[in-house]
Amino acid sequence: MNFDDTPQEAAFRAEAKAWIAANAPKQYEDELRKASLGRVQLKGANILEVAKAWQKKKAEAGWACLHWPKEYGGRGATPIERVIWQQEEGPFGRLSAMFIIGHGMCGPTMMAFAGEEQKRKYLPPLASGEKIWCQLFSEPAGGSDVAGLRTRAEKDGDEWVINGQKIWTSGAHYSDYGILLTRTDPTVPKHKGLTMFFLDMKSPGVEVRPIKQASGASDFNEVYFTDVRIPDSQRLGNVNDGWNVSLTTLMNERMSIGAGVATGFPELFDFCSSLMLEDGPAIENRAMRSKLANWAVKASGLKYTSMRAISALSRGERPGPENSIGKLVAGSMIQDVAAYALDLQGAAGALNGPEDAEVAGKFQAMLLRAPGTRVEGGTDEIMRNIIAERVLGLPGDIRVDKDVPFNKIPTKGRA
Amino acid sequence: MNFDFSDEQKQMRDEARKFLSEKCPPKAVREVLDGKAAYDKALWKGLAEMGFLGVAIPEKFGGAGAGHLELCVIAEEMGRALAPVPFSSTVYLAAEAILIAGSDAQKQKWLPKIASGEAIGTLALFEGKGNPSPKAIKLTANGGALNGVKKPVPDGAIADFAVVAARTGSSGRDSDISLFIVDLKATGVEVKSLTNIDPTRGQAEITFKDTKVEPLGAAGEGWGVITQVLDRAAVLMAFEQVGGADRALEMGRDYALDRIAFGRPIGSFQAVKHMLADMYVSATLARSNCYYGAWALSTNAGELPEAAAAARISATQAFQHCAKNNIQVHGGMGFTWEFDCHMYYRRANAVALGLGSLSYWEDALIDRMRKKNAA
């Protein structure tokens, strides 16, 4: 039971630390450190350009996509080295937000299913941040039920013709490429008629419409496909085997641990520590202390759960479904923490302008972003199902559409 | 980094689990629950023979000299099995107090007896309702004689000796409190068993009338020692709680898989699945906080006070949460005497109070976090 690096880990950490100290864009460090959940902005700079420049610099020095093989633009590092890098990169890691889907999910899917020539062509610019990728899975009719999607792909000679709509596509508005899950056979049960492709987002017939979220930001998009043509050579995996291909993508999502999840607690504790109420310092208040203590042990529990997972990684074990805990706990916690911070501000808690709101509106921003955290990448309910089924071994949910041809599945709840 | 127990420690856990599953099945717990015995004497003897009672006691004082990480491992198994023995009062409270404050002669006298199972010890701290506080201590020690009443005293009716917190000054400061070791067989000691929500761990009232005592540690330094003992015991007890929480979760899971209603296992209903998933989450967060507490305890780190409070709160919540929802999963069967669910429910709610209630540890955690932030 210790927090010490092995000699190899210590050497890697020292090397990473030195390189970051010499190369990171330090002029943005403070802003990045203070950025609130889901709102990373830099004054007087285009964040996309700053992020791309940092990623390129990392790639040139061999610090991009650490866990990828060298020939595809990575470093061939161990999972624990990747975690060490994240720890050392600290606030600069927030600049990677727009690359996460490409690096964490699209890249590994390409590695598993694209041809060798394609891999050498597409992966290095993805690793270096020159090209950004998105993942086109969710649809209005298929959110948590991903396999319920309706976007069609029909074969026409050596090409496929795509028609339909995707939704909740993070970063589609600045993406160059995307991986796309489509329906190629509606006459078989839903999981059996899907096929995966990758495509150029600038292809004719692709239209991206940003979605304005509750927070006012537009991180997600609707993407419409009208007679979009994709060559068969850009198919990933076999025809109608898209479900298995997508599972590879989703499994890779889990490998992205170690950075620590945002709970809002450190911000709340700071806020409460200096807050004065009518009857004295807020932190002396019994009810407040109880609330803070409850959140404190959740936040520390998550922190040390992730350290246990990192220890397992360093022993060569793969992270399992138990890592669903972080998102499940942090999602609703940050929502509650934000609402409580507003409550402490009384009527003024409703103000959202950076000049009028306490702590520059940090908690207001958190409150409006938090509902998204509980939904994206799997809702709380899906996370609980994952824990119940894959960790505790309880039976799967009953799926009445499992063996029904897709085109026979009812599409409305009420007649 | 290795934020986990070593292979040797895990091996010890397996050994302890195997031993307890044989020597401490639910039937044995029920003997004590039903009042047929004050504690499981055979199990106590067995624990001594296995070296578990003295696992963190140095070899020169008759222990195994393994350490506190090993004691954490054993504690988890004791909690899992609901072992009806005075382990926590003797090992976490009395032995730790002597290890911290005892003279060499006192260590030579008491620790080997604890390790061998010959002496049961306890800490007599509380005097009625309320949380640990120097102000709440009214019992006095004057001229080597103790006068006053302590209750509840864990395992007080079966203990051979007690570490007693007594008032030796009237300045209104923590330095009014001193500690003493009292032989409970001595004249002037009256012990009465008290009924409590978890009869598998007895509680007693002890009255002292001009009882002759021997100081433990320096006069006026008792409260500092008490705080250290409570912090250490909080980590160890948290492991017991996590062991209990895990077992309650397992019982609920197994029942949800076996019990059929409406034509399918109840564990296939999302409401039940999600309740069990939440039990897993609380037990896992608690375990992680406990690991940090174990690290702090075993390295005597400056973080121990904060880590102990976090482990205590988290594990208390997890055990209560898992124990009560285990009964809920079991439905009507869950609250019958015949099923074991209530034994975990009793224990969860009783151990939640014994070292000070949640509000005490919440206050402690916030104070300690503020102190760290100010530093």
Side-chain angles (χ1 to χ4, degrees):
Chain A
M1 190 82 68
N2 67 57
F3 295 104
D4 305 334
D5 290 329
T6 64
Q8 295 97 305
E9 287 163 5
F12 180 88
R13 189 185 294 279
E15 199 192 335
K17 197 190 276 283
W19 189 84
I20 290 165
N23 291 283
K26 288 208 198 55
Q27 65 271 37
Y28 304 117
E29 184 168 0
D30 205 39
E31 269 182 285
L32 289 169
R33 200 181 292 284
K34 287 182 188 155
S36 66
L37 174 74
R39 195 196 261 180
V40 184
Q41 283 167 338
L42 301 176
K43 278 197 196 84
N46 180 332
I47 181 129
L48 190 62
E49 284 169 16
V50 175
K52 282 192 165 193
W54 174 229
Q55 190 63 29
K56 184 161 180 258
K57 213 170 185 181
K58 286 197 280 184
E60 283 165 358
W63 295 104
C65 291
L66 282 91
H67 55 307
W68 287 15
K70 281 184 185 151
E71 60 268 35
Y72 305 136
R75 189 189 179 88
T78 63
I80 192 77
E81 286 173 341
R82 188 181 170 201
V83 170
I84 291 171
W85 168 266
Q86 283 172 349
Q87 289 170 344
E88 294 303 324
E89 194 181 16
F92 301 108
R94 291 188 166 203
L95 289 171
S96 309
M98 62 199 54
F99 305 120
I100 286 175
I101 292 189
H103 292 166
M105 298 167 80
C106 305
T109 307
M110 289 290 285
M111 254 176 260
F113 294 98
E116 189 54 37
E117 205 177 306
Q118 287 171 326
K119 289 194 242 187
R120 288 181 188 272
K121 176 177 171 190
Y122 291 101
L123 290 174
L126 168 53
S128 68
E130 190 189 335
K131 299 292 180 192
I132 297 181
W133 286 57
C134 62
Q135 176 201 320
L136 301 143
F137 282 18
S138 292
E139 294 191 11
S144 293
D145 180 12
V146 176
L149 59 88
R150 300 181 173 278
T151 293
R152 296 189 315 279
E154 285 156 320
K155 191 87 190 282
D156 180 23
D158 276 348
E159 291 183 325
W160 292 81
V161 181
I162 317 293
N163 279 286
Q165 181 201 349
K166 293 288 172 181
I167 196 167
W168 316 129
T169 313
S170 309
H173 52 306
Y174 50 67
S175 286
D176 302 286
Y177 296 95
I179 57 171
L180 171 70
L181 192 58
T182 64
R183 184 161 308 281
T184 37
D185 186 353
T187 68
V188 293
K190 65 180 182 181
H191 291 95
K192 295 179 178 163
L194 304 173
T195 303
M196 184 83 84
F197 298 95
F198 71 91
L199 87 162
D200 185 336
M201 289 296 283
K202 307 290 178 312
S203 306
V206 178
E207 189 198 342
V208 178
R209 295 187 198 163
I211 298 170
K212 191 168 178 180
Q213 296 152 233
S215 63
S218 300
D219 308 322
F220 303 95
N221 302 272
E222 293 181 291
V223 182
Y224 290 85
F225 297 88
T226 312
D227 293 331
V228 175
R229 302 189 81 86
I230 301 181
D232 188 56
S233 59
Q234 290 181 199
R235 175 164 46 80
L236 294 171
N238 293 329
V239 173
N240 292 335
D241 195 35
W243 183 247
N244 284 325
V245 179
S246 75
L247 287 182
T248 305
T249 314
L250 296 171
M251 297 256 268
N252 273 292
E253 211 174 8
R254 243 188 255 142
M255 294 294 287
S256 339
I257 56 162
V261 283
T263 60
F265 180 74
E267 292 89 342
L268 181 73
F269 191 75
D270 280 351
F271 179 57
C272 293
S273 296
S274 56
L275 186 69
M276 290 298 285
L277 297 176
E278 295 81 357
D279 53 350
I283 195 92
E284 302 294 344
N285 181 286
R286 179 83 262 291
M288 172 183 276
R289 290 163 83 88
S290 179
K291 275 188 179 287
L292 287 179
N294 279 289
W295 281 319
V297 302
K298 275 192 184 178
S300 61
L302 286 180
K303 179 177 165 194
Y304 300 121
T305 297
S306 111
M307 289 203 176
R308 287 170 57 203
I310 292 168
S311 296
L313 270 179
S314 71
R315 288 194 299 262
E317 293 167 28
R318 287 178 72 87
E322 60 275 11
N323 290 306
S324 302
I325 283 187
K327 200 186 96 73
L328 175 60
V329 175
S332 56
M333 177 168 158
I334 202 164
Q335 198 166 27
D336 295 343
V337 160
Y340 183 64
L342 265 59
D343 184 75
L344 289 171
Q345 298 166 30
L351 302 178
N352 200 15
E355 305 296 321
D356 301 315
E358 295 276 351
V359 211
K362 188 186 275 272
F363 294 109
Q364 284 77 4
M366 224 182 247
L367 180 89
L368 294 175
R369 180 60 183 78
T373 307
R374 293 184 59 192
V375 171
E376 63 201 0
T379 60
D380 285 2
E381 290 68 31
I382 295 290
M383 293 297 137
R384 287 194 173 91
N385 271 7
I386 289 174
I387 292 169
E389 293 170 19
R390 297 193 213 154
V391 182
L392 300 178
L394 292 164
D397 274 15
I398 287 181
R399 292 155 201 265
V400 292
D401 60 357
K402 197 170 164 237
D403 300 314
V404 180
F406 183 72
N407 56 11
K408 300 278 194 267
I409 296 172
T411 55
K412 275 198 172 144
R414 281 187 287 186
Chain B
M1 174 165 71
N2 182 28
F3 196 54
D4 197 355
F5 289 99
S6 69
D7 289 343
E8 291 76 25
Q9 286 154 355
K10 287 178 185 170
Q11 213 175 332
M12 187 180 239
R13 173 164 63 203
D14 294 344
E15 201 182 314
R17 187 171 299 190
K18 188 162 166 281
F19 173 79
L20 285 162
S21 68
E22 281 168 20
K23 307 288 180 191
C24 183
K27 205 172 114 238
V29 183
R30 281 174 179 275
E31 292 281 304
V32 179
L33 177 73
D34 290 333
K36 289 175 193 145
Y39 69 104
D40 190 334
K41 284 185 184 158
L43 177 61
W44 190 245
K45 194 161 168 265
L47 289 167
E49 282 161 7
M50 294 290 286
F52 293 160
L53 298 182
V55 73
I57 293 175
E59 280 173 281
K60 63 176 172 176
F61 300 123
H68 281 88
L69 282 180
E70 286 73 10
L71 183 52
C72 289
V73 164
I74 304 295
E76 182 180 340
E77 297 309 315
M78 298 296 286
R80 224 185 127 77
L82 294 181
V85 287
F87 192 75
S88 53
S89 41
T90 304
V91 178
Y92 314 160
L93 296 171
E96 290 297 323
I98 293 169
L99 276 167
I100 293 168
S103 65
D104 217 52
Q106 283 168 329
K107 288 179 183 170
Q108 284 295 2
K109 180 179 174 189
W110 293 105
L111 296 177
K113 284 186 186 171
I114 289 174
S116 68
E118 202 183 318
I120 293 172
T122 186
L123 174 70
L125 172 63
F126 299 105
E127 299 181 21
K129 68 183 180 204
N131 277 319
S133 150
K135 289 189 182 65
I137 294 170
K138 311 281 186 232
L139 177 141
T140 58
N142 286 320
L146 218 54
N147 281 287
V149 182
K150 290 285 182 185
K151 82 165 177 185
V153 181
D155 298 310
I158 54 174
D160 300 294
F161 73 99
V163 172
V164 182
R167 177 165 296 279
T168 46
S170 53
S171 69
R173 284 193 285 267
D174 291 2
S175 57
D176 290 344
I177 307 302
S178 305
L179 294 183
F180 300 90
I181 297 185
V182 187
D183 181 344
L184 294 177
K185 306 284 186 293
T187 45
V189 179
E190 206 175 286
V191 180
K192 188 174 91 182
S193 265
L194 303 174
T195 311
N196 84 94
I197 59 169
D198 178 18
T200 64
R201 292 228 170 135
Q203 301 280 357
E205 177 183 287
I206 305 183
T207 306
F208 300 93
K209 279 182 197 154
D210 293 328
T211 312
K212 286 260 183 296
V213 291
E214 158 190 351
L216 176 67
E221 287 177 10
W223 194 253
V225 177
I226 290 279
T227 310
Q228 288 180 63
V229 171
L230 289 177
D231 283 350
R232 293 186 184 199
V235 174
L236 296 163
M237 190 60 93
F239 272 92
E240 282 206 11
Q241 290 169 302
V242 160
D246 259 5
R247 181 65 197 125
L249 167 61
E250 253 175 41
M251 288 163 71
R253 192 265 319 268
D254 290 350
Y255 190 77
L257 284 168
D258 286 343
R259 163 81 177 153
I260 305 282
F262 305 104
R264 51 184 169 123
I266 60 168
S268 70
F269 291 103
Q270 221 175 52
V272 177
K273 282 164 82 166
H274 287 189
M275 188 158 62
L276 287 160
D278 284 341
M279 289 158 73
Y280 173 81
V281 168
S282 68
T284 301
L285 294 180
R287 176 176 294 279
S288 301
N289 278 313
C290 281
Y291 279 28
Y292 186 57
W295 166 80
L297 175 62
S298 66
T299 57
N300 209 9
E303 287 89 340
L304 177 61
E306 189 187 334
R312 169 73 180 166
I313 295 167
S314 193
T316 298
Q317 290 173 339
F319 195 10
Q320 287 182 320
H321 180 80
C322 290
K324 79 177 176 189
N325 283 332
N326 177 38
I327 295 182
Q328 186 69 12
V329 170
H330 278 73
M333 299 312 293
F335 59 88
T336 62
W337 191 268
E338 187 189 338
F339 272 58
D340 294 337
C341 305
H342 68 109
M343 302 197 302
Y344 284 83
Y345 185 63
R346 289 169 190 283
R347 180 66 66 83
N349 285 288
V351 297
L353 307 167
L355 300 174
S357 67
L358 269 180
S359 57
Y360 169 80
W361 290 100
E362 286 168 357
D363 271 341
L365 179 62
I366 298 302
D367 284 339
R368 291 161 183 187
M369 287 177 70
R370 285 177 76 193
K371 211 166 156 187
K372 187 182 76 180
N373 277 17

